[in-house]
């Protein structure tokens, strides 16, 4: 899947810093992406309950077709963020391939490494 998303106004909760209204991002097929390290930690430690987002509007289009930016967008317009990938530099590895829930914890228990 390719994903194109943009922020019309407000703050995008998955990237509160650096994603300004009028901005957009394109993640082509097989490109890793997601919330920045700060948003990941915030969500990981939050109490799981419904939350209402107000004062913001974002959109996302997904397609099974490959999308690409134009030469103008990539080279001429001067708006490309060459440090965008830094958003994920603070993410820690939480995957532990040998971890399994105990009988008491059951299959819905969250791994301790994900909440530390």
């Amino acid at each position: 899947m390719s994903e194109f998303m943009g922020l019309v106004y407000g703050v995008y909760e998955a990237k509160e810093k650096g994603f300004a209204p009028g901005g957009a991002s394109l993640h082509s097929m097989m490109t890793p992406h997601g919330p920045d390290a700060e948003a990941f930690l915030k969500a990981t430690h939050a109490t799981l309950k419904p939350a209402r987002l107000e004062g913001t509007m974002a959109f996302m289009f997904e397609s099974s077709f490959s999308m690409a930016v134009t030469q103008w967008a990539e080279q001429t317009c001067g708006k490309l963020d060459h440090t965008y990938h830094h958003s994920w530099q603070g993410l820690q590895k939480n995957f532990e391939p040998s971890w399994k829930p105990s009988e008491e914890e059951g299959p819905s228990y969250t791994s301790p490494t994900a909440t530390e």
Side-chain angles (χ1 to χ4, degrees):
M1 285 274 183
S2 292
E3 175 186 289
F4 176 74
M5 69 124 351
L7 182 62
V8 179
Y9 63 85
V11 175
Y12 180 56
E13 79 276 19
K15 275 193 184 31
E16 292 183 3
K17 297 175 185 157
F19 201 75
S25 64
L26 175 63
H27 298 104
S28 299
M29 291 182 216
M30 306 302 288
T31 303
H33 63 282
D36 60 25
E38 186 177 332
F40 174 81
L41 287 173
K42 186 177 172 182
T44 300
H45 295 291
T47 302
L48 295 178
K49 62 181 182 177
R52 182 180 185 97
L53 299 176
E54 295 182 352
T56 188
M57 181 182 290
F59 64 88
M60 182 182 302
F61 299 103
E62 289 188 343
S63 175
S64 58
F65 296 106
S66 181
M67 295 184 211
V69 296
T70 64
Q71 182 178 358
W72 180 86
E74 189 174 4
Q75 299 170 4
T76 308
C77 79
K79 301 291 183 184
L80 189 65
D81 181 359
H82 295 280
T83 63
Y84 183 69
H85 65 284
H86 292 175
S87 299
W88 301 285
Q89 298 303 308
L91 285 173
Q92 296 179 355
K93 294 179 182 179
N94 291 308
F95 181 68
E96 175 51 61
S98 62
W99 181 86
K100 292 186 175 146
S102 69
E103 292 293 324
E104 302 85 46
E105 296 163 343
S108 63
Y109 178 75
T110 302
S111 166
T113 58
T115 58
E116 291 177 351

